[in-house]
Amino acid sequence: MLIKIKNNYEISQNLATSQDIYSSRRKILKTMAVLGAGSVLGIDILGAQTRQIEIHKNIYPYEINSSYSQSPLTPYQKATTYNNFYEFGMQKEDPYHRAHILQTSPWSVIIDGEVQRPMKIALEDILKKVKLQERIYHFRCVEAWSMNIPWIGFELRELLAFTKPKGNARFVLFETLKQADMPGVKNPSIVGYIKFPYYEGLRLDEAQNSLTILAVGMYGKILPNQNGAPLRLVVPWKYGFKSVKSIVRITLVEKMPVSTWMGLDSSEYGFYANVNPHVAHPRWSQANERFIGEGFSFHRMPTKLFNGYAQEVANLYTGMDLRKNY
Ligand SMILES: Nc1nc2c(c(=O)[nH]1)N[C@H]1C(S)=C(S)[C@@H](COP(=O)(O)O)O[C@H]1N2
Ligand SMILES: [Mo]
């Protein structure tokens, strides 16, 4: 006999669908908290919903930030089997089949460059210092597909603040783990000779925007390896390639760094990579996208400027020609 038990995450999926369900669910959750289910789901004294996530055998609470909501969600099964993580190959399902070799524990991150307090910090120590929350973001790949994903993470600016950036720091460079046994590292021909480690960069003010997060989980669970475990960037107003996975080093620098995709072809992939329906990729239009939701078909929809986050980020680019700074 099959008994279907709703997990934590399915409840949050419902929360994402409509305000009505949200309100009635909240009542149920409150009752559950009173009945003692609060070890898994709870309501804190401010009335915000909290849950917990286990990372490296430690339990961390996180809050549901309902100001960032999108619906419908992309099913977990699709978000974890349709991936880009070229270290593991070029086919969308390669990371799902091969990323189990990624060594994610123990994990530490070096933060260096133009900072007053350079550090090498263990992931567990980072998580003791920051505020974890769940946010559902729209995620748009430069290949013109998109997903809605509930990330669990914290604002990058919280971590940067501990390192005290110097006055001359203007950009932030991120580096992915390079492991000798990654298929694309062992066998560069299978990935068109992309050079690893994978690098990405942001301007410091972009990195400090409140939308920019480092994620440690998704759908209520720890990040799967293929999605960039144990720590990956998410910059929702930019094309997906900026959201660098499995980060081992963050370096503050004075000059605009050259990221992996710029290095491969700077005429196709610029530093900014802001989602923009009016600026086509040299080989395809960016006006529309294929949303990956339930079922087999892609749902076509118009792409929004800054991926729908213009209100929060358009001011970062006032006076800039977005056609030249693609
Ligand atoms: N290290 C690394 N990070 C990466 C990539 C990659 O190949 N290697 N691909 C990028 C691209 S193109 C996209 S669209 C997103 C995909 O994230 P997802 O697989 O979690 O959806 O990761 C980005 N981060
Ligand atoms: Mo992408």
Side-chain angles (χ1 to χ4, degrees):
M1 192 171 72
L2 194 94
I3 300 171
K4 183 138 180 358
I5 298 172
K6 284 213 166 206
N7 64 23
N8 291 349
Y9 165 62
E10 285 176 83
I11 293 173
S12 92
Q13 187 167 10
N14 287 338
L15 293 178
T17 44
S18 89
Q19 196 56 41
D20 281 2
I21 296 175
Y22 178 77
S23 326
S24 65
R25 278 283 173 188
R26 258 186 80 146
K27 273 185 215 136
I28 297 167
L29 292 177
K30 274 191 177 148
T31 320
M32 283 171 70
V34 171
L35 294 175
S39 57
V40 192
L41 300 168
I43 310 284
D44 71 12
I45 40 169
L46 297 171
Q49 268 195 62
T50 59
R51 303 214 180 107
Q52 297 177 338
I53 183 169
E54 188 184 315
I55 295 165
H56 291 184
K57 303 223 168 358
N58 293 310
I59 302 287
Y60 302 91
Y62 66 92
E63 196 170 281
I64 312 298
N65 186 336
S66 49
S67 350
Y68 301 100
S69 199
Q70 300 279 339
S71 70
L73 292 185
T74 295
Y76 179 80
Q77 181 269 334
K78 293 201 178 164
T80 55
T81 56
Y82 189 90
N83 299 101
N84 279 334
F85 199 165
Y86 285 142
E87 286 85 334
F88 297 99
M90 298 258 266
Q91 301 306 312
K92 290 287 183 281
E93 60 286 352
D94 286 342
Y96 169 72
H97 290 300
R98 300 173 174 168
H100 56 89
I101 62 157
L102 191 70
Q103 310 266 308
T104 60
S105 175
W107 194 272
S108 57
V109 180
I110 293 170
I111 310 177
D112 62 357
E114 303 301 327
V115 292
Q116 286 171 45
R117 294 181 57 205
M119 54 179 78
K120 180 175 182 182
I121 182 166
L123 179 59
E124 295 90 295
D125 293 329
I126 294 176
L127 294 175
K128 280 177 208 149
K129 290 170 183 273
V130 297
K131 209 177 103 214
L132 283 182
Q133 43 178 295
E134 180 182 271
R135 297 180 177 188
I136 304 169
Y137 279 161
H138 191 59
F139 186 84
R140 168 65 156 81
C141 175
V142 72
E143 298 159 3
W145 52 264
S146 64
M147 297 185 181
N148 286 331
I149 300 185
W151 302 106
I152 300 165
F154 57 90
E155 293 183 2
L156 172 61
R157 61 182 179 181
E158 279 190 78
L159 178 60
L160 292 179
F162 296 123
T163 69
K164 298 196 190 298
K166 290 185 185 167
N168 58 338
R170 290 202 48 227
F171 293 91
V172 187
L173 177 67
F174 302 86
E175 182 182 328
T176 294
L177 175 73
K178 179 177 173 178
Q179 220 175 268
D181 58 347
M182 285 167 159
V185 172
K186 260 198 328 210
N187 220 335
S189 65
I190 66 162
V191 288
Y193 299 93
I194 296 177
K195 271 202 229 115
F196 297 114
Y198 188 101
Y199 287 108
E200 256 311 333
L202 293 174
R203 224 168 53 191
L204 182 59
D205 58 344
E206 298 176 323
Q208 288 173 326
N209 186 276
S210 63
L211 284 177
T212 305
I213 59 168
L214 286 176
V216 292
M218 57 194 265
Y219 299 81
K221 304 183 219 282
I222 189 166
L223 267 189
N225 288 359
Q226 62 269 33
N227 294 87
L231 185 70
R232 63 91 55 89
L233 188 69
V234 184
V235 196
W237 73 96
K238 291 181 180 282
Y239 292 122
F241 66 85
K242 300 297 286 186
S243 292
V244 41
K245 295 178 168 181
S246 308
I247 296 167
V248 289
R249 186 169 189 166
I250 300 175
T251 308
L252 282 81
V253 294
E254 274 185 73
K255 295 212 172 75
M256 183 184 282
V258 177
S259 57
T260 293
W261 284 100
M262 288 166 76
L264 285 168
D265 191 341
S266 62
S267 67
E268 299 204 346
Y269 307 99
F271 177 80
Y272 284 96
N274 292 319
V275 176
N276 190 335
H278 314 301
V279 178
H281 183 275
R283 289 181 284 133
W284 59 85
S285 160
Q286 296 290 23
N288 294 290
E289 62 199 60
R290 302 178 306 274
F291 177 73
I292 299 176
E294 296 282 354
F296 292 105
S297 64
F298 292 113
H299 167 67
R300 284 200 77 83
M301 55 191 252
T303 288
K304 292 183 185 156
L305 183 61
F306 298 116
N307 206 24
Y309 299 96
Q311 225 181 346
E312 286 100 323
V313 299
N315 65 310
L316 294 171
Y317 310 103
T318 34
M320 251 175 75
D321 182 345
L322 298 177
R323 270 176 200 284
K324 286 198 185 122
N325 298 282
Y326 52 90

